[in-house]
Amino acid sequence: MNSSGPFRVLNGLLTRIHAFTRLVLSFVLCAILLILAAIILVPMLLLATRAPAFVLPSNETREQIYNLACSKGLSGGSLAERELIWRRRSLVELSHPIRVVLASQPYDIPWGYYASRPNPTSFNCPPRKQANLQYWIPSLDMPESQISNIGNTNRQKERARPNPGPDESVVEALWIVGYDDDRSHGRRTNEWLKEARQLDGRSPGSVEEHGLWHTVVPIGSLQMTYWYKFGPGEDVVIECYAPFQRCEGNVDLKDLRMFARLSFDKDAIPQHQVIVDGLRTLLFRWRSSS
């Protein structure tokens, strides 16, 4: 009997299996290549067929920046957008007025006085109803640059002020609002503090100093020192936590119908009247008749 017959059959079978395996592998490889092509080419085709991308302006003038339409501005997500934002801000004059309405009265506040200097795309938006400011005392000058961390830089060096004196520091108005605006509840906070902390000058431990009464009140594991005065023209309540070097002041400007939350160095407490009168002076300076 010839034994080569079964071997030929087996060899043929193996050959067909090998061919089928190569066919399957080829099919799988083609499928993988098609998937990869779809992943790469489809987005490219979509980009090619959609509307042209927005071209960022590169040669705007200062006047064009001042007249930008009101918008939310750019996201700053790309390098080109960040460069455009920086270029626009670098062209804005520190004296450029930004309209704010406080207690139904318009004010034109110079851009350089803002603690968070507004984006140029907001210049022609409806007027804001609150302001956050920074100013030097006692000169009432604006800082030369926006201060991002006032807690560590309240006496930062500037070209015009290379060595700030001990009586010079930057005050931040965290916010200023009119009585009829959203944060007018701050006035009620003053009233609550007056009652809850017995800020009347007669509570045990109250001492008069620098034209203010002050008292120390334990709050949990910390101690809060309150400096305060209440009068017909203004109410002032200053809060200082023992571990911190900056204090916050609640100021009710009754003649202007405004409330302000201020932040300043603890060493500036003796200058509290300079701080408050300075804020009032600036607001009168910026008041608009139109």
Side-chain angles (χ1 to χ4, degrees), residues 170-182:
V170 173
V171 174
E172 181 177 11
L174 302 172
W175 39 264
I176 307 171
V177 294
Y179 283 3
D180 53 350
D181 296 323
D182 293 341

Side-chain angles (χ1 to χ4, degrees), residues 13-29:
L13 181 61
L14 292 173
T15 300
R16 286 195 293 274
I17 292 173
H18 182 63
F20 179 74
T21 302
R22 283 190 299 173
L23 180 63
V24 171
L25 290 175
S26 298
F27 177 79
V28 171
L29 181 60

Side-chain angles (χ1 to χ4, degrees), residues 178-251:
Y179 283 3
D180 53 350
D181 296 323
D182 293 341
R183 297 202 183 195
S184 59
H185 63 270
R187 298 179 61 240
R188 295 192 293 274
T189 300
N190 262 7
E191 293 299 319
W192 179 85
L193 287 171
K194 182 178 181 180
E195 185 70 25
R197 304 291 186 244
Q198 298 182 347
L199 307 182
D200 57 7
R202 297 188 302 272
S203 58
S206 292
V207 178
E208 190 172 10
E209 189 177 2
H210 307 307
L212 297 169
W213 288 93
H214 75 90
T215 186
V216 178
V217 178
I219 299 179
S221 60
L222 298 176
Q223 285 188 328
M224 179 78 85
T225 300
Y226 289 96
W227 301 78
Y228 56 93
K229 71 173 182 178
F230 301 94
E234 65 204 26
D235 293 342
V236 178
V237 178
I238 301 169
E239 304 170 278
C240 302
Y241 274 117
F244 304 125
Q245 294 304 308
R246 289 189 69 78
C247 301
E248 293 195 354
N250 305 293
V251 180

Side-chain angles (χ1 to χ4, degrees), residues 235-281:
D235 293 342
V236 178
V237 178
I238 301 169
E239 304 170 278
C240 302
Y241 274 117
F244 304 125
Q245 294 304 308
R246 289 189 69 78
C247 301
E248 293 195 354
N250 305 293
V251 180
D252 184 355
L253 300 172
K254 298 178 181 180
D255 53 333
L256 296 178
R257 294 181 53 79
M258 289 187 203
F259 184 83
R261 177 80 171 176
L262 308 179
S263 176
F264 47 85
D265 193 84
K266 187 181 293 185
D267 293 344
I269 287 177
Q271 297 172 281
H272 66 90
Q273 202 60 53
V274 174
I275 293 171
V276 174
D277 288 346
L279 178 59
R280 183 182 278 108
T281 296

